[in-house]
Amino acid sequence: MPKDAAVEEFARLVRALKTRDGRSYEALGRRLSVSASTLHRYCSGATVPEEFAVVGRLALLCGADEEERRSLEVAWSRADRTRRPPVPEPDAEPEPGPEPKPEPKPAPAPAPAPEAAPEPELEPVHARVPGLPSERRRRRWGWAGVVGGTLAVVGTVTLGAVLLPGKTRERAAEPPAPLTWTVASHIWKNGCGHTYLVERTPPPPPEAADARSWAAAQGAVDGGETLVRVSVQGKGAAAVVLQALHVRVVERGAPLPWAAYRMDEGCGGAVTPRRFEVDLDRPRPLARALDGYDASGEEGRTLPAVSFPYTVSAAEPEELLVSAGAAGCDCRWYLELEWSSEGRRGTVRIGDEDGAPFRTSGAKGRPAYGYDSAGRAWITDEESGQGG
């Protein structure tokens, strides 16, 4: 399928879902934690989402059945491939040549002449002394000692296997956890606000959907805050209880001395989603559940925080939004999710899309830049007139 056709087919399916649902871009965007403009770009074909997870949630919100969801995932995969460089085909293997003919074997060497029989050895003098064993008896006793030592070793090993069976058997492998998850770690607040620390002046800021590839190409690190969305669901019909969420910092250093680059010039949203907030500067960071707030209506309303425990299954997924902040460290960290199901318990470690630890560095006091779209250049707050 041509590139434009693949993207247009994906956009058509997304538009159909949105039209059938009837809600506005803003209303659906609030439920999906993306901005209305980002959702509009998906529907128009201007942008293809970096991950299918947001499209899968849209399908769930709009009441799509399993067949529609599969068709949507196939269309997203085709459209997503058009943004990536083609994988080079491996070189063809050379055809096998004719087998080499066996070389003739050299003629056998003539047999050596038979050696003369050795002279019979004389029996040692001590062998004829009464009370001393002969050479034959000494050899027999030597073999008896070797056999006896071998039997003693075998007996010791056998006794150890009987008394300590756990030491000689490998422990059975633990079955896999009954849940699965997807991660999005390059989320921008309200779909437009984020700060990256970059060592060298980067190119213009990307669309939010392309933030992950842009940051990887620049070696950028989240400045001040990392937003992570984890979508969790069970693998089968059995319920899985999520018991607790922990944060484990695996490396802590001084904040990076790089400049800060803002991906927006100030944006706001009507909805502050409920979330788990983490202070990475603390010696033992905790994930605290916080309320959200919806100011989109005539009267604002609180979105109550969701505290552990709660239940997921294959048909009932759950989303966890984590906001991790740092001011005085360059921290690498994981999330650890405790679960229980059908008499089993365990903990899964959650990292970024590649399984690596998340990374957040303090940005306080760093030179800050915003992008001037008219001048097509990064400028400081003073140059833009926003500085004090």
Side-chain angles (χ1 to χ4, degrees):
M1 183 179 290
K3 174 179 178 180
D4 294 342
V7 175
E8 176 53 36
E9 173 63 14
F10 168 72
R12 183 186 67 79
L13 294 176
V14 176
R15 285 196 303 271
L17 284 175
K18 192 266 178 189
T19 302
R20 184 174 66 187
D21 182 80
R23 280 179 280 189
S24 66
Y25 286 109
E26 184 177 3
L28 284 174
R30 287 200 302 269
R31 299 293 301 274
L32 298 172
S33 299
V34 300
S35 65
S37 60
T38 298
L39 183 58
H40 182 269
R41 286 194 292 271
Y42 296 161
C43 292
S44 65
T47 303
V48 177
E50 186 83 9
E51 304 286 346
F52 179 72
V54 64
V55 187
R57 294 196 304 275
L58 175 64
L60 189 64
L61 282 174
C62 297
D65 57 27
E66 188 62 27
E67 183 177 354
E68 288 178 305
R69 189 182 180 279
R70 284 196 296 267
S71 300
L72 187 63
E73 186 168 7
V74 170
W76 172 82
S77 299
R78 290 172 177 167
D80 184 61
R81 281 196 297 270
T82 63
R83 302 185 310 159
R84 307 180 186 276
V87 178
E89 297 183 359
D91 297 334
E93 296 183 358
E95 297 183 359
E99 296 183 359
K101 296 181 179 180
E103 297 182 0
K105 297 182 179 179
E115 297 180 358
E119 293 291 334
E121 294 183 2
L122 296 177
E123 189 176 8
V125 175
H126 66 74
R128 296 195 296 271
V129 177
L132 290 178
S134 67
E135 183 67 23
R136 180 180 297 173
R137 280 182 290 174
R138 287 205 308 273
R139 287 199 297 267
R140 184 165 63 243
W141 290 355
W143 278 109
V146 172
V147 173
T150 303
L151 291 175
V153 172
V154 172
T156 302
V157 173
T158 304
L159 181 62
V162 172
L163 297 179
L164 301 173
K167 299 296 184 180
T168 59
R169 300 176 185 173
E170 292 185 1
R171 182 177 296 179
E174 290 288 337
L179 54 87
T180 184
W181 64 90
T182 58
V183 176
S185 62
H186 287 274
I187 301 175
W188 293 0
K189 184 177 292 185
N190 299 319
C192 60
H194 196 69
T195 297
Y196 286 111
L197 297 178
V198 188
E199 189 173 13
R200 298 178 181 85
T201 303
E207 296 288 342
D210 299 324
R212 180 186 172 195
S213 56
W214 185 93
Q218 311 309 316
V221 175
D222 291 333
E225 181 184 35
T226 297
L227 286 174
V228 177
R229 182 172 56 233
V230 183
S231 301
V232 187
Q233 67 181 124
K235 291 181 178 178
V240 181
V241 180
L242 307 182
Q243 299 285 0
L245 183 67
H246 305 289
V247 181
R248 184 178 297 275
V249 176
V250 294
E251 186 175 338
R252 189 186 296 271
L256 294 170
W258 301 348
Y261 293 87
R262 294 195 306 270
M263 300 293 106
D264 66 290
E265 295 182 2
C267 65
V271 178
T272 301
R274 55 192 180 187
R275 64 204 180 278
F276 292 91
E277 189 172 77
V278 178
D279 183 1
L280 295 172
D281 292 321
R282 296 178 64 89
R284 298 184 63 183
L286 301 175
R288 298 188 304 116
L290 295 183
D291 294 338
Y293 190 77
D294 184 358
S296 60
E298 294 183 0
E299 295 184 3
R301 62 188 182 93
T302 299
L303 305 176
V306 177
S307 299
F308 289 97
Y310 49 87
T311 302
V312 298
S313 66
E316 297 180 350
E318 184 61 62
E319 280 193 355
L320 310 176
L321 181 62
V322 179
S323 170
C329 74
D330 174 15
C331 287
R332 298 174 190 260
W333 52 282
Y334 287 100
L335 294 171
E336 293 182 343
L337 184 61
E338 288 187 29
W339 59 269
S340 62
S341 178
E342 298 184 311
R344 296 172 53 210
R345 302 181 67 90
T347 301
V348 294
R349 172 171 283 192
I350 300 174
D352 66 11
E353 291 85 345
D354 299 318
F358 307 108
R359 187 177 183 185
T360 314
S361 177
K364 186 177 181 180
R366 301 292 181 262
Y369 294 85
Y371 191 72
D372 180 11
S373 301
R376 298 180 181 274
W378 293 98
I379 59 175
T380 64
D381 289 345
E382 289 75 13
E383 292 172 326
S384 65
Q386 297 182 13

